[in-house]
Amino acid sequence: MSPEAGIDPNQHKLVIHGMVKQPMVFTMDKLMRYPMVTRQTFVECGGNSAPMFSNEPVQAPLQALHGLVSNAEWTGVRLSTLLDEVGVDPKAKWMLVEGADTAALTRSVPLSKAWDDAI
């Protein structure tokens, strides 16, 4: 288990299903067999800007309201490679992504982004 992230790679799974020809479950072992890319990019917390939707004005500094972002070097499999593998239906336009964190946040993301540069 990674002590930094608290994620056990032996338990981690990426599931792609829905409007695809072949739904698949990718374990870390399976993912490690695919070509990898590395890039410098940012990640933004799903809770960024959430206080702006409160019924009462939030008295907090700008960093607490909109600053939940970070930059890092990321390495992984291009999502487009995995989407090719499962055979995405050409009629599909959006994907619903769900995090493996405690909050299990979900976001709708245009498939055009996944085909472009997502890892």
Side-chain angles (χ1 to χ4, degrees):
M1 180 183 309
S2 168
E4 299 85 20
I7 298 171
D8 182 355
N10 296 317
Q11 299 298 316
H12 183 73
K13 294 178 179 66
L14 172 65
V15 179
I16 302 178
H17 62 97
M19 294 176 71
V20 298
K21 290 179 185 163
Q22 177 67 40
M24 294 181 78
V25 176
F26 297 93
T27 62
M28 287 302 295
D29 284 339
K30 287 181 184 176
L31 289 172
M32 295 304 285
R33 296 180 188 145
Y34 287 88
M36 302 277 176
V37 297
T38 298
R39 61 176 61 113
Q40 290 270 337
T41 191
F42 76 94
V43 65
E44 179 178 5
C45 176
N48 221 19
S49 303
M52 303 308 293
F53 298 100
S54 298
N55 290 334
E56 297 294 323
V58 175
Q59 301 301 314
L62 181 63
Q63 181 67 24
L65 297 174
H66 303 292
L68 306 175
V69 295
S70 161
N71 190 55
E73 182 174 276
W74 299 90
T75 298
V77 179
R78 290 180 54 91
L79 186 52
S80 59
T81 301
L82 302 177
L83 295 177
D84 279 338
E85 188 83 12
V86 299
V88 175
D89 186 320
K91 293 180 277 193
K93 302 297 180 208
W94 288 82
M95 63 181 178
L96 182 68
V97 295
E98 180 178 348
D101 58 349
T102 304
L105 295 174
T106 59
R107 292 289 185 266
S108 295
V109 177
L111 268 173
S112 60
K113 181 64 176 165
W115 290 114
D116 181 29
D117 65 353
I119 56 174

